[in-house]
Amino acid sequence: QVQLVESGGGLVQPGGSLRLSCAASGSIVTIDAVGWYRQAPGKQRELVATIDSDGRTNYLTSVKGRFTISRDNAKNTVYLQMNSLKPEDMAVYYCNDHIGVKLNYWGQGTQVTVSS
């Protein structure tokens, strides 16, 4: 329904911060929920955070207090603010809605590297 494109990844030192963006080709108002996912090498993709149309959020336990998911409907963009980054956060991060997840449609993602 809506194309989502991730950006904002990069190289950061442990304890650093990054802000990921998930830009939609259309209005995100009509999307029930958007999630940020990540996949590290050799591991399954895991759900990091979600935000629904009512603004309700959920987080992976390991990122609670460090990551914040938000949305800007005017910009048709969902964000993931990542603070206090740890090496275990290193992964390719993806955003997706429930339709994309159901159909296994994924974008290219954005690489987050946490290293000294």
Side-chain angles (χ1 to χ4, degrees), residues 4 10 21 41 43-45 48 55-56 68 71 80 84 88:
L4 303 174
S21 296
K43 298 183 179 180
Q44 285 192 321
R45 183 179 286 115
V48 177
R56 297 184 179 185
T68 302
R71 69 181 189 184
L80 184 67
S84 302
E88 51 262 45

Side-chain angles (χ1 to χ4, degrees), residues 10-20 38 63 66-67 81-90 93 112-115:
L11 174 64
V12 65
Q13 293 182 321
S17 298
L18 284 172
R19 189 191 194 195
L20 307 184
R38 68 186 181 187
V63 309
R66 299 189 297 119
F67 291 11
Q81 178 67 46
M82 306 186 296
N83 299 324
S84 302
L85 283 162
K86 304 175 180 179
E88 51 262 45
D89 296 318
M90 184 163 57
Y93 283 71
V112 172
T113 301
V114 185
S115 176

Side-chain angles (χ1 to χ4, degrees), residues 3 5 7 16 24 38 46 48 52 61-62 64 84-85 90 97 100 107 114:
Q3 298 293 314
V5 179
S7 64
R38 68 186 181 187
E46 63 180 349
V48 177
D52 66 18
T61 300
S62 62
K64 287 182 179 179
S84 302
L85 283 162
M90 184 163 57
D97 61 8
V114 185

Side-chain angles (χ1 to χ4, degrees), residues 28-41:
I28 62 174
V29 175
T30 60
I31 301 177
D32 290 336
V34 174
W36 279 100
Y37 304 75
R38 68 186 181 187
Q39 186 169 29

Side-chain angles (χ1 to χ4, degrees), residues 87-103:
E88 51 262 45
D89 296 318
M90 184 163 57
V92 177
Y93 283 71
Y94 304 86
C95 63
N96 215 340
D97 61 8
H98 285 296
I99 298 299
V101 173
K102 180 180 179 180
L103 299 178

